[in-house]
Amino acid sequence: MILANARILPMDGPEIPRGWLRIDGDSISELGTGDPPGPAEDMGGDLIMPGFVNPHGHLPMTLFRGLAEEVDDRLFRYILPLERACVTEQVVRIGTRLALLESIRGGVTTVADMYYFEDAIAEELAASGLRGLVGQTVATFPAPDVSGVDAGFDRASALADRWTGHPTVTPGIAPHAPYSTGPEILARVAAWSEAHPGLPVQIHLAETADEIAWAAREHGRSTVEIVRDAGLLRPGLVAAHCIYLTDADREAIAASGAGVAHCPRANGKGGRPTAPITDLLARGAPVGLAADGAMSGNTLDLFSQMAPATIAQKVANGTRAALPPSEVLAMATVGGARVLGMGDRIGRLAPGYRADLIRVALDDPRQQPVWDLAATLVFSTLPSDVRATMVGGRWLMRDRQVLTLEVDAILADARQTALGFGAKIAEIDRGAP
Ligand SMILES: [Zn+2]
């Protein structure tokens, strides 16, 4: 297959103003400029670029989108009780399908998930055609899918047994956060990880002020030091947020090869300080741009994340020059791929890389003229400008029509399921236990 008459942004060298790209099987075999070397599909002058890589989120939480927006303690007041009362495997499937539909339509080609019933999420992911990472949650709080930490490890092992080696789904484990696991469980995760080489470990890290206070009070260390001392701060760790970092923490992360998943919308909406992204990048840490769960960041495409990411760094650093559009675009593609340990396969368009790409229209009045392609993509392009999405050489969406999912049924199921949460929400609002 050859795609031609395209403006190509490979993220692996300069833009090709009028180019073509050849795909063999699931990978890119060749790129060129000018007329294609054979029969080709005409891209009409649209942009072809790598699909976005979203390295942190909770797919089924689309069903909680917009709930309890202004409640500071909503994790403990709403989310955990609702999850315990309402989240079944079927609910997880319905929320996941909505998230996958939104991701494909928004130009995301790889997602990372940490939640419950990950085996069901992996099945939905495989059916949708998207590439993704599924991490079974391990935590000391009661979870919808397991009773106790041991059962969480058992589920993670079963997940690894079933999905290791799958072409698009990568299994893993997800200790929820340092405060919801603790040093002993984190050390068990490190041992699990040794026994399952190459499978990523996802965690929320240095996300809240309470977490930092807990680490100092209970363990006399920083939360990053707790993770390091457990043997988990290393390549293959996907650390979401990383807001409250000491200078030593930043250096430890950069030296370790662990990846940072930056969630600017979720953090900003939570009233949290800006994560020190320009500093982490300057120190050489892999940093990706992530949507987080839809209850925190509302949308799952990365167009919605790029402008807030660069604006927050400009505000924090007091200069227009901080985190330029080209760098935030790199975070959303190449950076996310590195964070997930897939930097040799996805995130750029180059021979040998997987054909994970999107076709983006640049002809809306809001995008014209295009002086600076990166600035156009970061500040004035919307997810609805994505015309087509391809993963591993297979179109998942063409002309805005998603080919692998039943759109109407997914939307109807999601609305119906969300209505079913009403009674529990009313009970929480009444202050019932
Ligand atoms: Zn999260």
Side-chain angles (χ1 to χ4, degrees):
M1 186 196 317
I2 301 176
L3 310 179
N5 188 25
R7 184 171 184 164
I8 300 178
L9 182 65
M11 301 305 297
D12 187 53
E15 183 193 335
I16 305 170
R18 182 170 164 270
W20 53 268
L21 181 147
R22 188 202 295 270
I23 298 157
D24 278 316
D26 68 353
S27 298
I28 296 163
S29 57
E30 211 179 346
L31 290 96
T33 182
D35 292 331
E41 194 174 330
D42 192 323
M43 294 288 106
D46 287 344
L47 177 72
I48 298 288
M49 63 173 283
F52 291 99
V53 179
N54 176 9
H56 176 72
H58 317 282
L59 298 172
M61 294 186 81
T62 46
L63 297 175
F64 300 136
R65 191 185 336 249
L67 181 68
E69 283 285 353
E70 278 78 45
V71 181
D72 270 328
D73 67 341
R74 63 193 195 138
L75 175 66
F76 293 97
R77 177 146 180 223
Y78 283 92
I79 302 179
L80 295 177
L82 259 176
E83 287 179 336
R84 276 196 297 278
C86 303
V87 171
T88 61
E89 182 182 317
Q90 186 57 17
V91 166
V92 159
R93 286 183 187 276
I94 289 166
T96 298
R97 285 180 203 140
L98 182 63
L100 297 173
L101 182 58
E102 181 186 353
S103 299
I104 291 170
R105 284 169 60 93
V108 172
T109 50
T110 298
V111 295
D113 182 76
M114 53 189 287
Y115 206 63
Y116 313 104
F117 300 105
E118 288 293 333
D119 198 50
I121 294 175
E123 287 178 1
E124 298 299 331
L125 196 51
S128 77
L130 268 187
R131 195 177 302 286
L133 191 73
V134 289
Q136 176 67 39
T137 296
V138 174
T140 47
F141 53 71
D145 59 346
V146 294
S147 53
V149 170
D150 290 347
F153 278 100
D154 289 347
R155 268 190 178 258
S157 297
L159 191 71
D161 289 345
R162 179 169 175 200
W163 295 95
T164 300
H166 189 276
T168 52
V169 177
T170 304
I173 195 165
H176 174 266
Y179 64 86
S180 50
T181 50
E184 291 77 23
I185 293 172
L186 291 176
R188 272 183 75 183
V189 172
W192 186 94
S193 185
E194 292 285 340
H196 298 85
L199 302 190
V201 177
Q202 303 176 64
I203 193 168
H204 294 107
L205 186 59
E207 181 185 6
T208 68
D210 284 349
E211 174 187 342
I212 304 306
W214 162 84
R217 186 178 66 241
E218 305 282 330
H219 301 284
R221 285 175 280 169
S222 79
T223 190
V224 171
E225 287 165 343
I226 290 172
V227 169
R228 178 200 63 194
D229 295 347
L232 277 175
L233 198 65
R234 61 186 185 203
L237 182 75
V238 180
H241 303 299
C242 294
I243 299 170
Y244 298 89
L245 302 178
T246 65
D247 201 60
D249 290 340
R250 298 175 195 196
E251 199 47 48
I253 290 172
S256 72
V260 173
H262 174 43
C263 309
R265 260 168 77 115
N267 297 165
K269 286 185 64 200
R272 306 212 166 104
T274 302
I277 296 306
T278 50
D279 189 40
L280 287 166
L281 287 170
R283 292 171 192 257
V287 182
L289 191 62
D292 205 352
M295 192 173 174
S296 305
N298 301 70
T299 54
L300 303 184
D301 68 276
L302 294 193
F303 289 105
S304 308
Q305 301 293 334
M306 290 197 290
T310 175
I311 290 168
Q313 296 303 314
K314 291 175 196 315
V315 171
N317 290 279
T319 167
R320 240 173 219 291
L323 197 65
S326 58
E327 282 184 27
V328 80
L329 201 56
M331 276 169 55
T333 51
V334 183
R338 278 182 74 199
V339 167
L340 297 183
M342 300 179 180
D344 59 345
R345 277 162 282 165
I346 59 168
R348 58 186 88 206
L349 304 180
Y353 275 66
R354 301 292 181 274
D356 289 13
L357 55 83
I358 56 175
R359 174 180 177 178
V360 184
L362 297 172
D363 48 16
D364 194 88
R366 120 181 76 69
Q367 297 167 298
Q368 288 292 320
V370 179
W371 281 110
D372 173 339
L373 179 58
T376 300
L377 290 167
V378 168
F379 292 118
S380 52
T381 301
L382 297 176
S384 50
D385 297 317
V386 177
R387 284 200 171 137
T389 301
M390 174 186 280
V391 173
R394 174 188 182 200
W395 291 114
L396 305 186
M397 176 175 81
R398 299 184 78 161
D399 300 324
R400 303 276 314 144
Q401 300 300 309
V402 176
L403 305 172
T404 53
L405 295 168
E406 300 290 336
V407 177
D408 292 343
I410 289 171
L411 292 172
D413 285 350
R415 285 190 204 104
Q416 191 64 34
T417 305
L419 281 176
F421 299 159
K424 183 66 188 176
I425 292 168
E427 194 181 288
I428 293 169
D429 287 338
R430 282 199 309 273

